[in-house]
Amino acid sequence: MSHPAAPGELSVLVVKPDGYRCPQVREYVDELLGASRLTVELRYEVCLEDEDVMDTWPKFAGPKYPITAELLRLYLTSGPCEVIVVRGPDVVRRCAHLRGEVRARFGTSAFANCVHTPTEPQEIGPNVEKYLVSLPTGQPFTRHRDEGVTEGISGRLAALPRSALLAEARAFWKTAQKEGWRAAWRPRPVSGGFGACLLPGDPHSVDHGMSLIADALPGLTVREVISAYVEAEVEGWSCLLSGTGSQARELARLLAAQGLYTEVRALTPARQT
């Protein structure tokens, strides 16, 4: 088995369960690999376990991002993945380009985006070690420390027991997997002519973005907060509050001032049912 000959020569692509189940995704990955000037060093199918997920994304092993960690664990262990270890010039950038092309065509959210590749310097080496050496050979793997640089869970959500947060994340995921994303969304607003809407592209961590929504709307349950946030990622927008124009504008401004992407929309009857 080959080992890294020099820093930066090797990197990893992981075709996640949703991508691995889709022949079109796998065909597109192969097409992009063929055009990438990268050489496949090792390729195999694997069913990831909880510790493998945390080894791949070590910042989620700590306490800052509990909801993300649970949803990511459920996502990545939901079925077989394909690991592709590649070698070549400018390998990290080329893998990131491939990932972006696949996600642009097939991805729907942070928890259904088909392909992983490490891009942060502190992740690349450990990912290569994990997937080139540890998993194929059974050699021990020591998880490196990564505290995460983005702010994590805060406010009302942080005050709740971790067990309660994880239970709500699992319940949300179970519904989405059994019945589809739309079955997991919270009920649509039934009154009011305007909506304060969340848009995708939150620059925060997922947990902090959810925390901002939970603090701005204390009447929402944890499940509703998770649902609203993921709905915006999947559908392109999510209505957080319906009411008068001034009410919608006030909430949209509050969340926008904290960095979330929002807009006010006139709600149509079809959206209210």
Side-chain angles (χ1 to χ4, degrees):
M1 178 178 299
S2 299
H3 294 269
E9 285 189 346
L10 289 164
S11 194
V12 175
L13 295 159
V14 178
V15 182
K16 299 177 180 181
D18 55 327
Y20 193 65
R21 285 191 295 265
C22 179
Q24 292 84 0
V25 171
R26 296 172 68 184
E27 290 169 6
Y28 194 44
V29 168
D30 286 342
E31 177 186 330
L32 293 169
L33 272 175
S36 69
R37 295 173 56 201
L38 297 175
T39 301
V40 175
E41 193 84 358
L42 183 65
R43 189 169 190 166
Y44 58 94
E45 178 187 306
V46 65
C47 290
L48 297 178
E49 299 182 0
D50 292 355
E51 62 266 28
D52 301 321
V53 177
M54 294 302 102
D55 289 345
T56 305
W57 292 272
K59 66 184 177 183
F60 297 127
K64 289 179 69 175
Y65 314 109
I67 298 174
T68 304
E70 185 66 4
L71 292 175
L72 190 65
R73 182 190 67 80
L74 292 166
Y75 172 27
L76 270 295
T77 61
S78 65
C81 299
E82 184 178 29
V83 172
I84 310 170
V85 183
V86 293
R87 181 190 296 274
D90 203 10
V91 65
V92 173
R93 185 189 64 79
R94 293 178 189 277
C95 285
H97 174 75
L98 185 152
R99 179 189 64 185
E101 292 294 305
V102 173
R103 290 181 176 181
R105 182 175 294 189
F106 296 103
T108 57
S109 75
F111 308 106
N113 57 22
C114 299
V115 175
H116 161 70
T117 191
T119 55
E120 299 178 14
Q122 67 271 27
E123 289 185 351
I124 298 164
N127 270 227
V128 170
E129 180 187 354
K130 179 73 181 181
Y131 290 106
L132 180 62
V133 180
S134 178
L135 275 182
T137 68
Q139 293 184 33
F141 178 84
T142 301
R143 183 181 303 153
H144 76 288
R145 292 181 60 84
D146 183 356
E147 301 301 328
V149 297
T150 56
E151 190 170 355
I153 195 166
S154 63
R156 179 163 70 96
L157 294 187
L160 295 173
R162 183 182 177 91
S163 59
L165 294 174
L166 301 190
E168 292 300 330
R170 286 192 293 270
F172 168 80
W173 183 262
K174 182 178 179 180
T175 299
Q177 294 305 295
K178 289 183 66 175
E179 303 177 47
W181 284 123
R182 295 192 176 213
W185 305 151
R186 68 194 182 97
R188 302 300 193 257
V190 295
S191 63
F194 293 88
C197 300
L198 179 68
L199 304 179
D202 176 15
H204 308 94
S205 69
V206 170
D207 284 77
H208 192 61
M210 290 182 180
S211 296
L212 295 176
I213 294 168
D215 288 348
L217 292 166
L220 292 187
T221 65
V222 175
R223 183 94 58 89
E224 288 175 324
V225 170
I226 295 171
S227 170
Y229 188 97
V230 179
E231 181 183 12
E233 291 286 314
V234 175
E235 304 283 359
W237 65 293
S238 171
C239 184
L240 300 176
L241 172 145
S242 64
T244 65
S246 61
Q247 290 171 326
R249 286 190 295 273
E250 181 180 357
L251 178 60
R253 280 196 297 265
L254 171 65
L255 293 174
Q258 298 177 86
L260 292 174
Y261 298 116
T262 63
E263 70 177 18
V264 174
R265 294 190 177 193
L267 297 176
T268 64
R271 187 63 180 180
Q272 295 174 334
T273 59

